[in-house]
Amino acid sequence: MAIFRLIEKVTNMTNFKKIKNPLLYAGLGMAFFSQAAYAQKPSSIADQLQITWQVKDGQNIRKNPVSTIILKNKGRSAIQLNDWSLWFNFIRSIDPDKVDNRFAIDHRNGDLFQVSFKKNNFLLKAQDTIHIDFTTTGLVNYTDGPIGLYVKNSKTGLSTDIRNYTAVKTAPQSDTEKADYWSYKYDQNQLTDGIEAQSIIPLPSNINIDNNAKFIITNDTKVLIASEFASESNFLTDFLNKYTGIKLSPSSAKEDGIVIVKTNDLKPESYRLNIDAKGIHIEASDKAGAFYAIQSLKSLINHQQWNKTTKSIALPYAKIEDSPRYGYRGFMLDAARNFHSKAEVLRILDLMAAYKLNKFHFHFIDDEGWRLEIPSLPELTAVGANRTANFEDGKGIQPAYGSGATAKAHQFYTVADYIEILKYAQARHIDVIPEVETPGHARAAIKAMRARYAHFTKVGDKQKAEEFLLDDADDKSIYNSAQNWNDNVMNPALPSTYHFLSKVVDEIKAIHEKAGVPLKIIDLGGDETPSGVWEKSPKILAFMKENNISNVLDVWPIYIAKINQLVQSKGLTMSGWEEMGMRNKGKGMEVNAELGKSGIHLNVWNNLPGQGQEDLAYRLANAGYKVVYTSAANNYLDMSWDRDFADPGHSWVGTVNLNRTYSFAPENFFINLRKDDTGKDLVKEAYTNKVQLTTEGKKNLLGIKGALWAEKVSTDQRLEEMIFPRLIAIADRAWAQEQAWEKGNSYDEATYRKSYTAFIKKLGEDELRKLDIINGGYTYRLPKLGIKQEGNQLYINTDYPGFKVYYTENGSTPNLKSKEVNGAIPFQAGNKYLFKVFDSKGRSGDVIAY
């Protein structure tokens, strides 16, 4: 749902301005190798084949470039390709008429493509290569390339993954283009001189620090905790025990040391934190406030004191009174497109809590996977979490987003897993909001219930077969979803659709109750229902007649009202994506004021500069909807940071670097909206004559959220690289009070740069060093370089400070023994300068050539 939100976003329900973003979608799968010949085993072919994808020289990667798949037989014997095909996932579209005529590349469904040989008796001799050229929509970076490659035999049905595959990280680019890019980066990385780092992330409401006076925590320090906050105090003592050499001693009476007490004069989640000669005094009205005070204390402790040899911690005298700006401070994780384990989810929750984020939007259901066990409907995970090359048998769904030929075991959360996640989050004052996609993005559920239908039909139980059916077999509607699916939408005319949703919601609610974490809100998706859907469904035609409507577009608001009523009947609040608060009356999507007071919460992502919906979040909030501003332009963490071909991620909203994330002004979005991510001026229509938040609309703005869509995120390492440190900037913007640069009608760049500099210094010089320590370390994104040539000198900086840069002048790869960048570097034409960033643990980034 995310990545392609713009791609051809014209749907029955979501008919915004039609946008063709060459960076998005495509379906992938390529059938490769055909004809009868040597009966080679899949494993044998996989062992012999080495496959590389790269952009061909001389191409403009943004304008329908030609790329090539290179197959090399590394073995000692020939490979007969008869009866074989090569399949892969590919997020772009491919022009079938611009493929080398010896081959065919066919789109199957979703992002799956198949490459087949047209030439009879195609033999790949030992050590020979084959180049398969094809034209695709514009590319952004190497993660746009084919992934999840496997070979399959058309006669035996056997398949196996290709193990030796490389997507080349470089693309054609002139020396001038490279120099311009690095110079642009250098300017972006510049910080304001003379600004000190902020003391705590996220920034407190009111803070006064005296660095000339210190209170010292030692093993002799006593701690007194109000009984109401006993569970919260454990987070402080456990932290000191685990990451320092200090063990606090409990006290039964007030004395100098650490005191955490309850007061009744503070708002929820708020606290007071005073440090003076007597010690550390914390006040809070609720457990969350006490917990957040402890997180601030941890942030105040410099990373250098986070080690087991530390026997004393010196803290500056401080007076802090703090409350969050927003009650909703969230992060959405997509575990449907690519699954991420329970252990990784717990790691993410730990850092969310450390930076005072309190809402975890769990997107574990989509077209490409159903990732939560529903005991009464085992088919949902048996089929919907089973991605396999043998999907035609109906026992699984097709490979997607690099999952490969062979189904992986346990690619879903069991009831026990989910209960553990719920309890873990609750202990850290995080609410888990589960999302069940409907009516679009529902392919995994649809295929699972179709498999259930086939099973019970076979045994003659018609009632059970049809009980939870989600699609109309007689529906001849033709549509193409944002992710290139043609069969991923539930049918609102079927009573079984509502029966299914009711059953799933009931079971999720029951799991929450079993965990002792009552479910209050559930998200039912509601986004990207494609144009053309339901138009030729006999069941829908009957539904329309029954509801006295003549236009299929009017099915949408009826459906949203019905599922909202279903959710509310269970004592819950329904949330969903922005389309739930909109409808199409024939001229594109517009705000549906009729449901504004219905209690629906909306996640509003669409504010892309220059695309016409920049004020959508405000229009919906003004209409009465409770809005969580999930700004794609600032807070979509699956976006690439930079215009570097080696930088992973999507960029259909432009690039989203840390600066852009931090610059988000939730209640005054247009204040700094003047340039796009390349530095070019935006058209004035992007920020003039736009709807502003009314007084009532501000009350309806619940908060902000970051989101990570996982189409290109198949490993935990990549997940952490994409999330951190940008999520920390989102946390700061969600908690910290409105800043001076956000207010009014004119933007003060100098004031903003001071604020950003203070944040970025604290982040790079202290907080990220802590991420090297917490839970064994997180693989956050290492900073990228900016390089500027002035005369015969090179000037170097990084996205954020606190990291060392090493370089060579002879083309050799830099290491920790190479020259370290300290000030300007003498530049001599003809030398090949290579740079590399290293963190304190020796982890390094990509080699940068200048």
Side-chain angles (χ1 to χ4, degrees), residues 29-74:
M30 289 185 163
F32 202 129
F33 306 144
S34 57
Q35 295 175 2
Y38 313 63
Q40 289 175 283
K41 296 180 180 179
S43 58
S44 172
I45 290 180
D47 288 338
Q48 287 181 251
L49 276 180
Q50 173 185 288
I51 300 181
T52 303
W53 171 81
Q54 64 186 37
V55 180
K56 296 198 73 173
D57 289 341
Q59 301 294 304
N60 182 334
I61 63 171
R62 310 233 173 220
K63 294 183 178 180
N64 301 329
V66 176
S67 59
T68 184
I69 294 174
I70 304 168
L71 292 88
K72 182 171 185 177
N73 180 357
K74 298 284 288 184

Side-chain angles (χ1 to χ4, degrees), residues 33 117 228 309 315 654 804:
F33 306 144
F117 288 96
E228 298 96 327
T309 64
L315 288 173
K804 293 184 178 181

Side-chain angles (χ1 to χ4, degrees), residues 53-277:
W53 171 81
Q54 64 186 37
V55 180
K56 296 198 73 173
D57 289 341
Q59 301 294 304
N60 182 334
I61 63 171
R62 310 233 173 220
K63 294 183 178 180
N64 301 329
V66 176
S67 59
T68 184
I69 294 174
I70 304 168
L71 292 88
K72 182 171 185 177
N73 180 357
K74 298 284 288 184
R76 297 180 179 179
S77 60
I79 300 175
Q80 182 67 51
L81 301 179
N82 296 24
D83 299 326
W84 292 97
S85 58
L86 174 69
W87 299 70
F88 61 82
N89 299 117
F90 187 69
I91 214 158
R92 301 288 177 176
S93 58
I94 293 173
D95 188 338
D97 298 325
K98 293 184 179 179
V99 178
D100 185 319
N101 58 19
R102 296 174 298 167
F103 317 101
I105 299 181
D106 298 303
H107 172 240
R108 293 310 178 193
N109 204 355
D111 69 338
L112 190 62
F113 285 86
Q114 180 184 9
V115 181
S116 56
F117 288 96
K118 298 169 70 174
K119 180 181 176 182
N120 292 329
N121 200 28
F122 209 116
L123 192 71
L124 180 58
K125 296 179 181 178
Q127 302 304 312
D128 271 2
T129 59
I130 296 172
H131 289 242
I132 305 173
D133 294 344
F134 58 96
T135 300
T136 182
T137 49
L139 303 168
V140 174
N141 57 56
Y142 78 99
T143 60
D144 279 346
I147 52 177
L149 288 76
Y150 65 91
V151 291
K152 186 173 183 178
N153 189 288
S154 61
K155 289 188 175 180
T156 66
L158 296 175
S159 60
T160 190
D161 294 315
I162 297 296
R163 292 180 284 276
N164 191 346
Y165 171 68
T166 301
V168 176
K169 282 188 172 185
T170 57
Q173 195 175 28
S174 70
D175 289 341
T176 300
E177 288 175 320
K178 290 179 182 177
D180 288 345
Y181 168 73
W182 298 123
S183 178
Y184 169 78
K185 279 285 296 175
Y186 183 88
D187 291 341
Q188 288 288 301
N189 292 344
Q190 287 282 66
L191 299 178
T192 303
D193 292 336
I195 300 299
E196 294 184 358
Q198 67 185 59
S199 300
I200 293 171
I201 292 180
L203 183 67
S205 305
N206 294 288
I207 179 169
N208 191 334
I209 298 285
D210 180 2
N211 284 303
N212 296 316
K214 308 284 184 179
F215 172 74
I216 311 298
I217 302 176
T218 68
N219 283 325
D220 295 327
T221 301
K222 303 296 183 181
V223 58
L224 174 66
I225 311 291
S227 58
E228 298 96 327
F229 299 148
S231 57
E232 277 57 46
S233 69
N234 290 336
F235 285 98
L236 175 59
T237 54
D238 289 349
F239 159 72
L240 292 172
N241 290 344
K242 189 172 183 179
Y243 297 115
T244 75
I246 296 173
K247 296 186 183 299
L248 298 176
S249 302
S251 174
S252 58
K254 286 187 179 181
E255 57 183 300
D256 291 358
I258 300 174
V259 178
I260 304 178
V261 297
K262 182 176 172 58
T263 185
N264 294 318
D265 65 339
L266 290 172
K267 295 178 181 178
E269 300 188 302
S270 305
Y271 66 91
R272 278 190 286 264
L273 170 59
N274 290 326
I275 304 174
D276 56 23

